[in-house]
Amino acid sequence: MLDIQTLLQIFWTGLANSSYAVLLAAAFALVLKVVKVWNFAQAGLMGIAYYTMYAAIQKFGLPAPVAIALGAAAAIAAALAMEVWGLQTFRRRHSPPLTFFIFTLVVSELVQYLLAMAAGTEPVSLATTLMSASHIVGGVVVSEWDLKAIATTIVLMGLLYLIMKRSRQGQFMLAAADNPHLSRLYGINVRRVYALTFVVAAILITAGMYLFGTRASMVPNTPLEMMLFAVIAALLGGMGNVFGAAVAAVFLALLRAFSILVIPSAWQSLILYALLFITILFFPQGVRLTRRAKKPTAAPAVSATPADA
């Protein structure tokens, strides 16, 4: 029989593991909101950032901050190259949305194979050891990685909120997301806005992959499964709702953590595919928690008088 301590431990572990999932889901939802592209190439960017940091840390012995900066630079360069030489070309040609989708999917697969050729298919980690110093808090094991991961995610999501809601460039991003053609008429450089969106998304991706790499190991095709998680979170959170996707990522991480109580961990990926099917079928616009506004009651009819005529 399960006790409360076991449930609290599962909850805390799932919450901590949701940290990198939140960042990856927010990055995917941000590009979807502003650029209007289902950016499956994000899986390729995740791999580029990860293996760049791995080479910097494990091969060249560089400190973690330098490795993170190099990983972010590599992800940003790849994202901007895809935007400038790929997506902008399709926009000039007025290509259909399916072309953008196929292009990002092909880029993701291409990067995966290139990384497998260059780095091999053995699992690699960013940390020399996946063990972290731990403390017992109220009977729950809390590791230092948990605290750092949650704190990093909160700080980055707070900065993202400030950028989106309080900065001038964030207002440009929201305007371009709402109506890019009207934004151009008001003098907004939409191309620059799209480029900035990919830069911000690449930074979130790099941070998420660093957190993941200091907790677990990865092979070149791991980002594809992680992308599925981000897609489901973006769908559940609502199309284009960046922070809704972040909340959905936390929910999905907790759901996967508690699923260990009923199914073996080897079958947890099945939950993701089942959730993707259910989400697309029943929640194509995301889960709406707000109540519908009540319709105003009609005013009583007043008979017209001769003076009203």
Side-chain angles (χ1 to χ4, degrees), residues 45 48-50 52-53 66-76 202 206:
L45 300 180
I48 291 173
Y50 188 91
T52 300
M53 290 186 288
V66 176
I68 294 172
L70 291 175
I76 290 172
T206 304

Side-chain angles (χ1 to χ4, degrees), residues 44 64-65 102 161 195 203 296:
I102 295 175
Y161 178 84
I203 293 173

Side-chain angles (χ1 to χ4, degrees), residues 22 25-27 29-30 33 153-154 156-165 174 204 233-234 236-238 240-250:
V22 167
L30 179 64
K33 177 182 181 66
T153 302
I154 291 175
L156 289 177
M157 292 304 296
L159 291 175
L160 179 61
Y161 178 84
L162 292 177
I163 291 173
M164 296 290 293
K165 302 296 184 180
L174 294 176
L204 295 175
L236 279 178
N241 188 339
V242 178
F243 299 98
V247 174
V250 175

Side-chain angles (χ1 to χ4, degrees), residues 20-21 23-25 27-28 39-54 71 74-76 78-79 108 111 115 126 201-202 204-210 212 218-230:
Y20 51 83
L23 297 176
L24 298 177
F28 183 84
N39 184 28
F40 281 86
Q42 178 171 314
L45 300 180
M46 291 157 60
I48 291 173
Y50 188 91
Y51 279 96
T52 300
M53 290 186 288
Y54 170 75
I76 290 172
S108 176
V111 170
L115 290 175
L126 300 182
L204 295 175
I205 289 169
T206 304
M209 295 311 295
Y210 178 77
F212 175 80
M218 193 183 88
V219 294
N221 64 350
T222 301
L224 294 177
E225 182 177 339
M226 300 173 72
M227 264 300 303
L228 178 62
F229 194 97

